[in-house]
Amino acid sequence: MQVLVTGAQGFLGKYICKNLSKTMDVIETDINDMDITDSKTVNKRFSSFNPNFLVHLAAISDAQNSLDDPPRYFEDNYLGTLNLLEACRNNGIQRFVFMSSLTVYGRSASEVDENDSICPQLPYSGSKAACEILVRTYNKAFNIPAVILRPNLISGPGNNPNDLIFSFVNEITKSGKVEIFGSGLHQRQWTHPDDVALAVRDALLMINEDFHIINLGSNKMTVRDLAKTVVLELGKGEISYSDKSRQAFSLVCSTKKAELVLGWRPQIGIKEIIRQHANNLKKSET
């Protein structure tokens, strides 16, 4: 089983390639050897690699910064996905696994599932939603089996700038304090990249399945409870609040379909994620 992985050198890509390599022949690609926005390069690479499966992770992924340059997010993410799907169509790929994002739902006061409507509210999430339509279209028009995965927040060593758990651990370690925006009562989920990798593996191993959209999320809690858990695990820390009159948005998902279709059960709890961040921070300082 040869699996081509785009974005292999990114934060999530490194975890996924490491996990898949245990049982599969993984071909790692990234911008340095396959610019997915260049169709000629993509087609040339596909011809030389001749993979059976594709895991598409490559994307510009900083959601908040997408407000500053929307065209770049749509051009790179959408065009890159289109070029890969064309290469899959021309090379008889057996399954296309696309890493989307739970942010395609926008905001929700209640738990979302795969039957709920999507309502992206940032160019990043809009580009992911547009890519999902592409994947679905190629599945229907050209019979390319596909799985779209929508993970909630992914947290583990290596994603430091965009990782709230790392931010809390780092702030408490360095200053003994952590500040929460708003009341901290908004809920999210934090899933370890190794658990996301398990879902990717399971999606690749599916037999006689044509198309699925599957939400991924674990360790559901409020941001306030997350901060308290970090304080308890580190054995120190003071929590403060900024602009408590404002409330950040909640977004959590049901994972019933992931369990039913993939047999997916996340293995890594929030305390272990916190410990990994703390240990990694200590290593980086020595």
Side-chain angles (χ1 to χ4, degrees):
M1 177 186 288
Q2 273 202 330
V3 183
L4 178 64
V5 179
T6 68
Q9 294 305 307
F11 160 66
L12 183 57
K14 291 178 181 177
Y15 282 91
I16 287 177
C17 289
K18 180 180 177 181
N19 279 269
L20 294 183
S21 295
K22 296 175 183 177
T23 55
M24 303 175 189
D25 181 9
V26 177
I27 305 167
E28 300 185 17
T29 68
D30 216 305
I31 186 67
N32 61 316
D33 65 349
M34 189 175 79
D35 179 358
I36 62 172
T37 65
D38 183 343
S39 61
K40 291 183 179 179
T41 300
V42 171
N43 290 326
K44 183 178 179 180
R45 286 298 186 185
F46 260 75
S47 297
S48 61
F49 293 142
N50 194 28
N52 307 109
F53 303 91
L54 176 68
V55 177
H56 179 25
L57 310 175
I60 307 174
S61 58
D62 192 321
Q64 205 59 41
N65 284 344
S66 70
L67 290 167
D68 298 327
D69 193 0
R72 182 181 174 218
Y73 279 73
F74 280 96
E75 289 169 6
D76 285 20
N77 294 351
Y78 185 86
L79 179 58
T81 302
L82 176 60
N83 288 337
L84 289 167
L85 284 164
E86 269 294 281
C88 289
R89 178 173 74 89
N90 294 325
N91 290 274
I93 205 79
Q94 295 175 32
R95 187 172 303 281
F96 186 105
V97 177
F98 175 65
M99 192 62 61
S100 186
S101 167
L102 201 73
T103 59
V104 296
Y105 290 104
R107 305 180 178 191
S108 179
S110 58
E111 185 178 80
V112 297
D113 67 25
E114 292 81 359
N115 294 316
D116 287 317
S117 299
I118 62 174
C119 185
Q121 299 187 12
L122 290 172
Y124 163 72
S125 51
S127 72
K128 285 292 188 179
C131 290
E132 287 192 9
I133 293 174
L134 271 180
V135 175
R136 185 53 164 158
T137 301
Y138 271 69
N139 163 259
K140 285 294 187 184
F142 305 112
N143 300 313
I144 299 175
V147 178
I148 294 171
L149 299 176
R150 293 173 175 168
N152 208 334
L153 300 173
I154 303 172
S155 180
N159 196 32
N160 299 352
N162 302 308
D163 195 318
L164 184 61
I165 298 180
F166 170 80
S167 295
F168 283 177
V169 171
N170 188 44
E171 290 171 24
I172 291 172
T173 300
K174 293 184 176 179
S175 69
K177 298 178 181 180
V178 64
E179 187 175 75
I180 296 175
F181 172 77
S183 66
L185 294 178
H186 47 295
Q187 286 190 320
R188 296 301 294 267
Q189 292 157 303
W190 288 271
T191 307
H192 194 276
D194 279 336
D195 282 327
V196 177
L198 291 179
V200 172
R201 179 204 64 188
D202 294 340
L204 290 171
L205 294 175
M206 296 171 71
I207 300 174
N208 299 325
E209 294 286 349
D210 178 58
F211 180 82
H212 283 290
I213 295 175
I214 299 174
N215 294 336
L216 302 175
S218 62
N219 299 306
K220 180 174 71 174
M221 60 176 56
T222 66
V223 170
R224 183 169 68 180
D225 285 342
L226 173 64
K228 290 179 179 178
T229 305
V230 173
V231 168
L232 287 173
E233 285 301 304
L234 297 183
K236 62 178 181 180
E238 179 181 324
I239 300 172
S240 62
Y241 299 85
S242 65
D243 202 355
K244 288 189 71 173
S245 62
R246 299 180 65 186
Q247 177 62 50
F249 70 93
S250 294
L251 182 60
V252 296
C253 67
S254 166
T255 57
K256 290 180 180 178
K257 185 175 181 180
E259 184 173 346
L260 178 65
V261 174
L262 299 179
W264 184 73
R265 294 180 179 85
Q267 305 295 310
I268 302 176
I270 199 72
K271 293 181 180 180
E272 175 59 23
I273 294 175
I274 293 168
R275 285 193 288 267
Q276 287 188 16
H277 277 298
N279 292 335
N280 199 56
L281 187 60
K282 288 178 182 178
K283 290 178 183 178
S284 67
E285 294 177 343
T286 58

